[in-house]
Amino acid sequence: MSDLISYQLDDGIATLTLNNGKVNAISPAVIEAFNEALDRATQDKAIVILTGQPGILSGGYDLKVMTSGPQNAIDLVAAGSTLARRMLAHPYPIIVACPGHAVAKGAFLLLSSDYRIGVEGSFSIGLNEVQIGMTMHHVGIELARDRLRKSAFHRSVINGEMFDPQSAVDAGFLDKVVPADQLVVTALAVAAQFKKINMNAHRKTKLKVRAALLETLDQSIELDKQHAL
């Protein structure tokens, strides 16, 4: 598998580990590797656990790409949005074991998954786009609108408010928070629970529940291709 995303299969559980520098920036190459890993996990019929390096899941899109020209930024966001859409429709459960910070696209990875576990500590989770001068893209708005609690949606998207792990649970970015040394064992326990469900029913129900969102994201991806951020 790619050096950017390692792939480890064990007893029907595929662990995907982001490994792209100190902030795990999401670049075109990372998205390509991510898609390849999801292809392999589908072939293996495996539950997916996505994680990062100690202290961080991802700090967001690669700023070198985002600032290298409007079209490069549009293309990267479109690829990332298409990945998010794929994650939401993935035929097997996706668990995120978030080992720390999850910012911008890192936070959208949380919003694109089925179950999210964070760790205790002084970590920031959220959407900082307006803080760094980026107008939130259509896909980001719709994904946040669907997955965040109503009370946190405007604070997050419009105000760029960042959350600590516990308040990220209340906002809707995470489902639970555990001590850092319990992250892996907790993710494996969640995966073990997922093994007890019927995967065909899981897939069909997921697509039925998210049908309107997926259709909205398809439209939003096309809108975002027409506008600079």
Side-chain angles (χ1 to χ4, degrees), residues 89-112:
H90 191 68
Y92 299 93
I94 297 179
I95 302 160
V96 177
C98 180
H101 301 293
V103 180
K105 183 58 179 177
F108 281 123
L109 292 175
L110 298 174
L111 298 182
S112 304

Side-chain angles (χ1 to χ4, degrees), residues 57-135:
L57 178 66
S58 174
Y61 285 125
D62 190 330
L63 291 180
K64 290 181 180 179
V65 178
M66 293 296 290
T67 58
S68 65
Q71 192 58 53
N72 289 338
I74 290 172
D75 291 345
L76 178 55
V77 171
S81 295
T82 302
L83 173 62
R85 199 255 188 230
R86 177 181 185 178
M87 291 174 66
L88 287 162
H90 191 68
Y92 299 93
I94 297 179
I95 302 160
V96 177
C98 180
H101 301 293
V103 180
K105 183 58 179 177
F108 281 123
L109 292 175
L110 298 174
L111 298 182
S112 304
S113 303
D114 298 307
Y115 199 90
R116 299 80 46 87
I117 308 160
V119 296
E120 298 171 350
S122 300
F123 299 114
S124 293
I125 295 172
L127 309 173
N128 71 338
E129 278 80 354
V130 298
Q131 291 185 25
I132 61 174
M134 292 178 62
T135 302

Side-chain angles (χ1 to χ4, degrees), residues 40-58:
R40 182 171 172 183
T42 302
Q43 292 173 355
D44 290 334
K45 299 181 179 180
I47 293 169
V48 171
I49 296 176
L50 173 66
T51 192
Q53 303 168 35
I56 190 162
L57 178 66
S58 174

Side-chain angles (χ1 to χ4, degrees), residues 193-209:
Q193 287 298 312
F194 272 126
K195 283 185 176 183
K196 298 178 181 180
I197 66 176
N198 181 286
M199 288 300 157
N200 186 49
H202 167 81
R203 177 181 62 83
K204 290 181 177 179
T205 302
K206 177 188 292 188
L207 292 176
K208 185 179 291 186
V209 168

